[in-house]
Amino acid sequence: MAILAIPLVVSVLKPHHSLHFSFFRSRNHSRLCRPLIHLSPLRSSKTSISAITTSAIPNNSSTDPNTDSNKASVPTFQQAIQRLQKYWASVGCAVMQCSNTEVGAGTMNPLTFLRVLGPEPWNVAYVEPSIRPDDSRFGENPNRLQRHTQFQVILKPDPGNSQDLFLRSLTALGININEHDIRFVEDNWESPVLGAWGLGWEIWMDGMEITQFTYFQQAGSLQLLPISVEITYGLERILMLLQGVDHFKKIQYADGITYGELFMENEKEMSSYYLEHANVHHIQKHFDFFEEEARSLLALGLAIPAYDQLLKTSHAFNILDSRGFVGVTERARYFGRMRSLARQCAQLWLKTRESLGHPLGTISEPEQLVCPKEILQTAVQRVHEDPRLFLLEIGTEELPPQDVASASQQVKDLIIQLLDKQRLGHGEVQAFGTPRRLVSMNVCVKNLSTKQVGNEVEVRGPPVSKAFDGQGNPTKAAVGFCRRFCVPLDSLYRKAEGKTEYVYVRVMESARLALEVLSEDLPCIIAKISFPKSMRWNSQVMFSRPIRWILALHGDVVVPFTFAGVVSGNLSHGLRNTPSATVKVESAESYATVIRNAGISLDIEERKQTILEQSNALAKGVNGHILLQGSLLDEVVNLVEAPVPVIGKFKESFLELPKDLLTMVMQKHQKYFAITDDTGRLLPYFITVANGAINEMVVRKGNEAVLRARYEDAKFFYEMDTRKKFSEFRSQLKGILFHEKLGTMLDKMIRIQNMVTELSSALEVGEDKLRIIQDAASLAMSDLATAVVTEFTSLSGIMARHYAFRDGYSEQIAEALFEITLPRYSGDVVPKTDVGIVLAVADRLDSLVGLFGAGCQPSSTNDPFGLRRISYGLVQVLVEKDKNLDLRHALQLAAAVQPITIEASIIDDVRTNSYVVC
């Protein structure tokens, strides 16, 4: 049988050998499989100890923009596809074809979803036209299409240098990575439909997301091992950057043919269908038919056609979503139905592959590297007598910003505990965290002693009755005890413990070398570092992101040990696109200088100060001030190792859009700092923070293009909304399903409107405010039907307030329309006005009573409708605003307006849940 996949070869460096390739064999050991090529193995040095394939790019690599191979002309769209196919084929991937059923992403193609399951190797690359009805823009938005083109790559198992392989693919496309600001920005990917999730990054080039990079952890609700790497390119965006055009329609698809000439009419007509004409009733029936067909096929043992029907249900759901039919609550139910099918397809696929004997072979778990005793013995011979600096650097792929400071502090605390426990004298312990690239944590221990401090301890022996015979002579038990600790018999003394008397001796614990202790205990220290989310990549070891090197030095001696398949050494890494991509550290004392010369700023506060000083100077140059948001600064400072603020500009006409909308796009989506004048009015400028040496003009131009596209999107939606009065959106809530048993969002808001009068009385709100409460309730949450909130969901409430002000409603009503959403998350502010409090409490009471009554109670492990969060929000409002509400009576008010019968037991369940939250 022909082998359809070309299994990977992982480079494994034994700690006492130079670099060599080690082949993973299939279960049939006579079948050697062709390796996935490692393009730049780390050059070994006789004086270094290392066991990694680095993601750093050496100076003489093919990524050098001056080499002939990189002087290729800017590709057309089809040439870009051909270059990627050629590149990935050259390193060991099979080039395959797209799915013949609509998919929302290349991930959903069976070549990915089914093939990442199980133990068989799989390396594949293919083009995938991806259909996303919700991205329909009639061809007007430069970056958003309902049909966009992805290039999908799957590497199974992880080859150890996937990032390097990806960066070289950009070079193959003709991108000079030395000029651009290329970032790996945290992306915790999840597909509720497929029961799949993974950790990785969005890859940004000059502010634009061009690729997603994910280490799959689960698919079909099944844990994966071996782990697969997914790389998904957004081809339209990449080609716009390469060709220097500002709209997808201007992309040269082939010589003499533009993308727009080929596909613009397709975009217009399909957008019209998805956004305006798709019959919701018919599509609902399609979903049900496809689901039923999938279940029938599963019963027949046909995983592949069943999965094809699942893809059809997914596309039907996406159409319903684009028509605004699916509310937040109902979305969870649809996802649950599709996820159940995905799990069954996955289980059946695995069973089928096993019954076939795994035709592509199986991947063996990599051998766990063990540091040879000879290495430790050699290192011990080089230990100096005087105290020296100890350094530990754990090199990873880019860590999430929030993990940097936390993990650095953990390393510091764990090292201090280790040294104190092991009686190793030391000076100050320092911890630094670099946010991304390859350096994650650095621990410097000043003046670490070379040996443990001697320590006399009391050791208990056998009971006196067994240590001496009737004549008082020592027995064999006493003699053996003394021999064990090398002490004379006359050193024994007696001591009672409770009712029993024992013999004791005092012995001096041996003073081991610090090097020996650290070599033994450092792996345990690294294993104890915890993260909010962790992942596997090549074994059962879990960490925030893959560990790629470990630098461990006591003075100029390497502390030898292994962890996660990596052997410690004396090599570190700087920014990828610099001559210091790989650096050798001769001693712990020289580390700070080496890293500084590599352009890396280790200290978080130092990076923060650099960003603030340079950003303020840039803002001052346009007579402005940066709009400083503390959480954004904390995030940005941990996205770069060598911060380089760059100022950009956008069209002044965009300032006609709401300030909240503009700043949200800048801060949340782009990690930009907005700039205001002395009065707080936005100026048409922004600041982005690049990482390391870049071509500032190229980076500025790229970021300006990205923000322009995002603002065009926002303008498109805002103009759609402002063609109507805000009150007109109320009726459109009937098109958003809240829950099939509880009706639409309009039904929900009518229930709230019907209960606020009595609830106001229960909350002791004056009758003079009742009219305002009723008016506000008649408009509340109408912004959920607006185009802006549909696209930018975090602006719910904010846009309601804006549109209400715009249409002349009073400040009390407008503010209440925002406050009904509060609190939005743990620690958020609560409503300040009585009107807002009544609406916020009513909304949460309705959700809790209705959803509990519909059978959506949370379990100990699952809360898909967020009912605990809703309960917490209700309690937070009542407690912080000191409202003495009879909760049972309030729940009964909510129960009285529900479209389903609410039993007394449901009221009790909701009360219990709320009290548990308290």
Side-chain angles (χ1 to χ4, degrees):
M1 179 179 291
I3 299 177
L4 298 180
I6 306 171
L8 289 154
V9 169
V10 175
S11 172
V12 178
L13 179 61
K14 298 291 183 181
H16 55 292
H17 290 298
S18 58
L19 184 68
H20 71 281
F21 287 109
S22 173
F23 289 83
F24 278 139
R25 298 176 185 269
S26 65
R27 192 181 54 182
N28 178 356
H29 293 285
S30 64
R31 178 200 264 171
L32 266 182
C33 301
R34 178 184 165 197
L36 185 81
I37 297 174
H38 281 251
L39 294 179
S40 66
L42 185 65
R43 289 168 290 178
S44 60
S45 168
K46 292 181 180 178
T47 58
S48 68
I49 301 175
S50 182
I52 64 167
T53 300
T54 178
S55 295
I57 301 176
N59 264 353
N60 60 353
S61 73
S62 63
T63 55
D64 188 339
N66 297 316
T67 60
D68 293 337
S69 62
N70 289 286
K71 293 182 179 178
S73 60
V74 175
T76 63
F77 197 92
Q78 71 175 15
Q79 286 172 340
I81 292 174
Q82 291 166 347
R83 290 184 186 184
L84 286 174
Q85 288 176 330
K86 181 179 179 181
Y87 169 79
W88 285 107
S90 74
V91 298
C93 285
V95 176
M96 294 193 176
Q97 304 306 314
C98 61
S99 170
N100 58 5
T101 299
E102 293 103 332
V103 295
T107 305
M108 303 186 79
N109 188 313
L111 294 174
T112 290
F113 175 72
L114 295 178
R115 292 293 185 172
V116 299
L117 298 162
E120 295 176 273
W122 185 250
N123 302 300
V124 67
Y126 56 90
V127 178
E128 187 65 67
S130 300
I131 310 300
R132 295 183 181 175
D134 200 41
D135 281 343
S136 299
R137 298 293 186 274
F138 299 93
E140 295 177 14
N141 183 278
N143 284 332
R144 302 288 284 274
L145 305 90
Q146 57 80 30
R147 177 196 178 277
H148 66 281
T149 314
Q150 294 182 342
F151 190 91
Q152 177 86 348
V153 176
I154 293 295
L155 308 176
K156 178 187 177 186
D158 165 38
N161 64 340
S162 304
Q163 287 185 321
D164 187 31
L165 292 171
F166 165 74
L167 289 171
R168 290 178 180 277
S169 74
L170 295 185
T171 300
L173 279 172
I175 296 173
N176 183 345
I177 65 173
N178 293 333
E179 289 195 345
H180 296 275
D181 180 31
I182 297 175
R183 316 261 201 94
F184 289 77
V185 180
E186 176 195 8
D187 180 43
N188 297 326
W189 173 82
E190 181 181 11
S191 171
V193 171
L194 298 178
W197 68 274
L199 300 186
W201 310 270
E202 295 175 352
I203 301 177
W204 292 10
M205 185 163 75
D206 304 334
M208 179 179 285
E209 180 191 352
I210 61 170
T211 306
Q212 283 191 318
F213 190 116
T214 306
Y215 289 89
F216 281 139
Q217 303 295 299
Q218 179 177 289
S221 303
L222 305 174
Q223 181 175 304
L224 301 179
L225 197 68
I227 300 300
S228 297
V229 178
E230 179 196 52
I231 302 172
T232 306
Y233 302 76
L235 292 184
E236 284 84 2
R237 293 184 175 190
I238 293 174
L239 267 295
M240 284 175 63
L241 288 172
L242 282 175
Q243 295 183 7
V245 297
D246 59 4
H247 199 291
F248 71 81
K249 66 184 179 183
K250 299 178 183 179
I251 295 171
Q252 286 294 312
Y253 192 89
D255 291 340
I257 305 174
T258 67
Y259 196 101
E261 290 168 338
L262 288 174
F263 300 119
M264 180 58 82
E265 186 60 26
N266 182 67
E267 284 299 310
K268 291 179 180 178
E269 294 190 14
M270 294 307 298
S271 294
S272 180
Y273 169 67
Y274 289 138
L275 298 182
E276 299 172 342
H277 302 300
N279 187 303
V280 169
H281 180 64
H282 290 168
I283 302 301
Q284 278 184 293
K285 285 187 174 181
H286 290 174
F287 185 98
D288 294 338
F289 290 152
F290 295 142
E291 180 184 32
E292 184 179 352
E293 187 75 356
R295 295 195 184 282
S296 297
L297 291 165
L298 286 167
L300 294 171
L302 302 174
I304 296 173
Y307 182 69
D308 190 59
Q309 295 301 308
L310 167 61
L311 294 179
K312 295 179 188 297
T313 68
S314 175
H315 184 60
F317 168 82
N318 289 339
I319 298 175
L320 292 174
D321 197 30
S322 69
R323 295 288 283 128
F325 177 76
V326 185
V328 174
T329 305
E330 193 63 15
R331 178 185 301 269
R333 293 187 68 255
Y334 272 110
F335 284 166
R337 292 164 68 182
M338 291 185 282
R339 185 164 54 249
S340 174
L341 292 177
R343 181 178 64 254
Q344 294 176 68
C345 289
Q347 291 169 336
L348 183 55
W349 167 264
L350 287 174
K351 184 178 178 181
T352 301
R353 299 303 292 179
E354 184 177 6
S355 69
L356 294 173
H358 297 125
L360 302 182
T362 59
I363 300 168
S364 307
E365 281 202 36
E367 295 180 10
Q368 292 301 311
L369 295 180
V370 177
C371 186
K373 293 182 179 179
E374 314 88 79
I375 297 293
L376 179 59
Q377 292 169 357
T378 302
V380 165
Q381 294 172 5
R382 298 184 57 211
V383 171
H384 299 272
E385 294 184 2
D386 298 327
R388 297 286 298 272
L389 190 72
F390 166 64
L391 166 73
L392 172 66
E393 177 187 82
I394 305 167
T396 72
E397 295 176 358
E398 283 76 353
L399 292 171
Q402 69 272 16
D403 287 351
V404 176
S406 169
S408 299
Q409 186 61 45
Q410 287 183 66
V411 173
K412 177 179 178 178
D413 294 342
L414 289 167
I415 289 293
I416 290 174
Q417 292 171 19
L418 166 63
L419 300 181
D420 292 344
K421 178 182 177 182
Q422 294 289 359
R423 312 187 317 278
L424 289 169
H426 61 86
E428 180 186 6
V429 177
Q430 298 176 316
F432 307 98
T434 58
R436 49 187 302 253
R437 305 294 177 176
L438 303 176
V439 182
S440 64
M441 280 81 68
N442 310 280
V443 179
C444 297
V445 182
K446 295 183 178 179
N447 301 321
L448 177 64
S449 300
T450 57
K451 277 189 176 184
Q452 293 176 311
V453 175
N455 185 43
E456 189 178 63
V457 295
E458 184 179 65
V459 181
R460 192 182 75 177
V464 170
S465 59
K466 292 185 178 181
F468 298 97
D469 59 21
Q471 288 73 41
N473 298 315
T475 64
K476 290 183 178 180
V479 173
F481 174 62
C482 290
R483 185 186 306 116
R484 177 184 173 191
F485 291 100
C486 302
V487 294
L489 283 167
D490 60 9
S491 64
L492 291 173
Y493 61 93
R494 304 182 183 199
K495 189 175 177 181
E497 243 184 64
K499 296 182 180 180
T500 306
E501 192 175 27
Y502 295 89
V503 295
Y504 283 81
V505 294
R506 302 193 69 84
V507 298
M508 185 67 70
E509 287 185 323
S510 60
R512 299 172 64 201
L513 288 172
L515 191 80
E516 296 174 303
V517 173
L518 293 171
S519 178
E520 183 178 296
D521 289 352
L522 284 177
C524 299
I525 293 296
I526 300 174
K528 288 179 180 178
I529 303 170
S530 62
F531 302 93
K533 291 188 177 182
S534 297
M535 58 165 281
R536 297 178 177 85
W537 63 100
N538 65 358
S539 66
Q540 292 296 337
V541 171
M542 299 190 72
F543 210 72
S544 174
R545 292 297 185 272
I547 295 173
R548 295 307 185 195
W549 80 87
I550 298 172
L551 170 64
L553 289 169
H554 186 192
D556 58 358
V557 181
V558 170
V559 180
F561 66 93
T562 65
F563 184 80
V566 177
V567 179
S568 60
N570 60 357
L571 295 178
S572 184
H573 302 277
L575 300 170
R576 293 189 182 96
N577 56 338
T578 67
S580 301
T582 302
V583 292
K584 181 178 176 182
V585 181
E586 298 289 352
S587 68
E589 290 81 2
S590 67
Y591 171 78
T593 301
V594 171
I595 292 299
R596 191 181 305 112
N597 291 341
I600 303 298
S601 177
L602 291 176
D603 188 80
I604 293 175
E605 291 304 316
E606 180 182 297
R607 292 197 302 275
K608 187 177 294 187
Q609 195 61 32
T610 298
I611 291 171
L612 286 174
E613 289 179 359
Q614 295 185 19
S615 296
N616 281 323
L618 291 171
K620 187 176 181 181
V622 294
N623 299 315
H625 311 276
I626 60 172
L627 184 60
L628 193 60
Q629 185 188 48
S631 59
L632 177 62
L633 178 60
D634 290 339
E635 182 178 10
V636 170
V637 77
N638 283 332
L639 278 174
V640 292
E641 287 185 316
V644 180
V646 176
I647 191 168
K649 187 175 183 179
F650 58 88
K651 291 191 297 185
E652 290 193 34
S653 61
F654 287 128
L655 293 174
E656 298 173 4
L657 297 173
K659 179 180 177 180
D660 286 326
L661 177 56
L662 294 173
T663 55
M664 187 278 297
V665 170
M666 276 192 272
Q667 295 172 349
K668 183 175 180 180
H669 290 272
Q670 293 302 131
K671 321 298 182 190
Y672 294 163
F673 295 108
I675 298 178
T676 64
D677 62 16
D678 292 335
T679 66
R681 185 176 64 88
L682 276 182
L683 294 176
Y685 299 95
F686 66 91
I687 291 175
T688 182
V689 182
N691 190 44
I694 40 91
N695 184 321
E696 192 169 315
M697 183 182 70
V698 170
V699 172
R700 178 187 297 111
K701 182 179 177 181
N703 280 277
E704 288 176 345
V706 174
L707 190 59
R708 179 173 64 249
R710 286 203 178 272
Y711 280 171
E712 288 288 359
D713 224 16
K715 181 181 178 183
F716 172 81
F717 294 123
Y718 185 71
E719 289 178 347
M720 284 181 61
D721 290 344
T722 52
R723 292 172 192 154
K724 303 178 182 179
K725 290 184 177 180
F726 182 53
S727 58
E728 294 179 39
F729 288 102
R730 165 84 166 190
S731 62
Q732 291 180 224
L733 292 177
K734 67 183 178 183
I736 303 175
L737 189 62
F738 176 64
H739 188 280
E740 67 173 359
K741 294 182 181 179
L742 304 175
T744 66
M745 284 302 298
L746 180 59
D747 296 324
K748 175 179 172 64
M749 299 320 297
I750 290 173
R751 292 197 295 272
I752 290 174
Q753 197 171 356
N754 289 337
M755 67 184 286
V756 292
T757 299
E758 290 189 60
L759 184 61
S760 297
S761 176
L763 288 167
E764 300 179 346
V765 175
E767 291 186 8
D768 58 316
K769 295 181 180 176
L770 191 56
R771 177 67 187 201
I772 298 173
I773 292 172
Q774 284 285 357
D775 289 345
S778 70
L779 292 170
M781 295 196 177
S782 295
D783 61 334
L784 293 179
T786 65
V788 168
V789 173
T790 300
E791 178 66 16
F792 305 108
T793 54
S794 63
L795 290 177
S796 174
I798 294 173
M799 293 309 299
R801 178 175 59 188
H802 172 83
Y803 288 140
F805 272 130
R806 190 176 186 276
D807 284 0
Y809 289 96
S810 69
E811 182 177 352
Q812 285 181 299
I813 289 177
E815 197 61 32
L817 297 183
F818 167 62
E819 290 185 334
I820 189 176
T821 66
L822 302 178
R824 295 158 293 187
Y825 48 83
S826 177
D828 193 16
V829 296
V830 298
K832 295 180 180 179
T833 69
D834 285 339
V835 181
I837 291 170
V838 171
L839 293 184
V841 170
D843 173 51
R844 286 156 179 80
L845 288 172
D846 178 81
S847 293
L848 288 170
V849 171
L851 291 171
F852 266 76
C856 302
Q857 295 91 332
S859 67
S860 59
T861 59
N862 194 27
D863 185 16
F865 300 98
L867 293 178
R868 290 194 185 92
R869 175 179 52 80
I870 294 172
S871 296
Y872 182 86
L874 173 63
V875 172
Q876 186 181 351
V877 171
L878 296 176
V879 171
E880 292 192 22
K881 304 311 292 186
D882 196 24
K883 293 294 181 180
N884 186 20
L885 179 68
D886 182 341
L887 186 57
R888 176 178 287 279
H889 174 61
L891 293 170
Q892 289 171 341
L893 290 178
V897 297
Q898 296 300 316
I900 57 177
T901 301
I902 304 297
E903 304 290 344
S905 59
I906 295 296
I907 300 292
D908 292 336
D909 287 347
V910 178
R911 288 183 71 223
T912 301
N913 183 73
S914 299
Y915 289 139
V916 168
V917 169
C918 290

